[in-house]
Amino acid sequence: MKEAGFVYILTNPSFKEDWVKIGKSSRPVDVRSKELDNTAVPLPFEIYATLKTVKYEQVEKLIHKTIDRLTDLRIRQNREFFNVSPAKALDILKDISTTLDDAEIDEVYLGEARFKRNIDGEEVTEKKRPRFKFSMVNIPIGATLTFVPTGITVKVADDDKIEYEGRLYKLSPFVGTFMPEDKRNMSGAYQGAKYFTYQGEILDDIRTRLEEV
């Protein structure tokens, strides 16, 4: 039986808000997004959403074709970049997923918010929380954080970015880039605040503790 792969929607903080990259990968999406992280783009790509299915190659072609039929939204005809909002691209991906028996959609873009469609087509949701900000947990700019999987230390650069080796990252893309191979998950999507500590406490645990006060 053919192995499942992924169709992904990627955004980038250095792009316009209505630019996305839509592609496919037979490997976890964080591996693919890491390959795309080079000097041609100032900031790493961020995973907006993924769809896992054995028909990932057909789905990628179909979503490209669907967007092209709407209007000439492809930024360059031979590339996977589209001048369409991430939300609109995700709507199209969801519509396509309803025709598949094995579709698993994972919305990553809200950070703490998670959405998945199981094998029976049922939507499984969790309570949505706003995207993590350091100000939520009273962590100042310049503070040192530790990346738990490797022990790497980074500095807080602003309210939602960290600095490592002279480059800025948001938490989740950093995890996708520096997570050791033996600790990666299948989708390549990570909630960044679960992988860093401040003064010995996981960021997500700090947030939960403060929210319960």
Side-chain angles (χ1 to χ4, degrees):
M1 182 178 178
K2 182 179 179 180
E3 292 291 328
F6 300 90
V7 177
Y8 55 76
I9 301 172
L10 301 182
T11 59
N12 193 297
S14 62
F15 288 175
K16 295 180 179 179
E17 291 185 2
D18 56 353
W19 281 18
V20 295
K21 177 175 174 60
I22 303 171
K24 67 180 187 298
S25 177
S26 60
R27 297 166 296 159
V29 179
D30 62 330
V31 175
R32 178 59 179 147
S33 64
K34 183 177 180 179
E35 291 173 346
L36 295 168
D37 182 19
N38 53 52
T39 56
V41 288
L43 294 170
F45 282 93
E46 298 179 8
I47 303 171
Y48 188 84
T50 65
L51 183 151
K52 181 181 179 181
T53 175
V54 295
K55 296 182 178 179
Y56 65 98
E57 292 175 319
Q58 297 95 313
V59 171
E60 186 218 26
K61 290 179 181 177
L62 182 55
I63 189 171
H64 287 182
K65 191 173 183 178
T66 300
I67 294 175
D68 283 339
R69 280 176 173 172
L70 292 175
T71 186
D72 188 15
L73 296 175
R74 199 185 292 247
I75 296 172
R76 290 177 64 183
Q77 289 303 312
N78 63 337
R79 303 296 293 275
E80 298 174 344
F81 295 93
F82 295 86
N83 185 14
V84 63
S85 72
K88 176 62 71 176
L90 179 56
D91 283 343
I92 296 171
L93 195 65
K94 286 181 181 179
D95 288 343
I96 294 172
S97 75
T98 62
T99 68
L100 304 171
D101 295 329
D102 66 338
E104 294 182 19
I105 286 185
D106 193 353
E107 294 182 27
V108 191
Y109 61 98
L110 290 177
E112 305 298 335
R114 312 292 287 174
F115 164 98
K116 291 190 177 182
R117 187 183 301 279
N118 65 22
I119 195 169
D120 297 321
E122 298 173 338
E123 293 184 5
V124 181
T125 60
E126 298 178 8
K127 182 179 178 181
K128 293 185 177 181
R129 302 163 78 193
R131 185 188 290 272
F132 180 86
K133 303 285 187 181
F134 292 112
S135 58
M136 293 176 176
V137 292
N138 304 316
I139 296 179
I141 293 173
T144 299
L145 308 179
T146 300
F147 180 49
V148 175
T150 64
I152 291 173
T153 58
V154 301
K155 294 289 185 181
V156 176
D158 62 26
D159 204 19
D160 67 349
K161 295 184 185 69
I162 55 176
E163 181 181 354
Y164 178 65
E165 293 186 339
R167 190 166 189 187
L168 298 180
Y169 298 85
K170 290 189 177 181
L171 292 180
S172 295
F174 183 95
V175 177
T177 300
F178 293 99
M179 179 68 76
E181 292 292 336
D182 62 343
K183 297 181 180 179
R184 294 182 180 276
N185 61 34
M186 282 301 296
S187 70
Y190 303 95
Q191 297 182 44
K194 293 182 179 293
Y195 295 89
F196 291 86
T197 61
Y198 174 62
Q199 296 182 346
E201 188 175 5
I202 296 291
L203 299 186
D204 191 64
D205 291 344
I206 299 174
R207 178 180 183 178
T208 299
R209 173 168 53 80
L210 293 176
E211 288 175 343
E212 292 175 349
V213 174

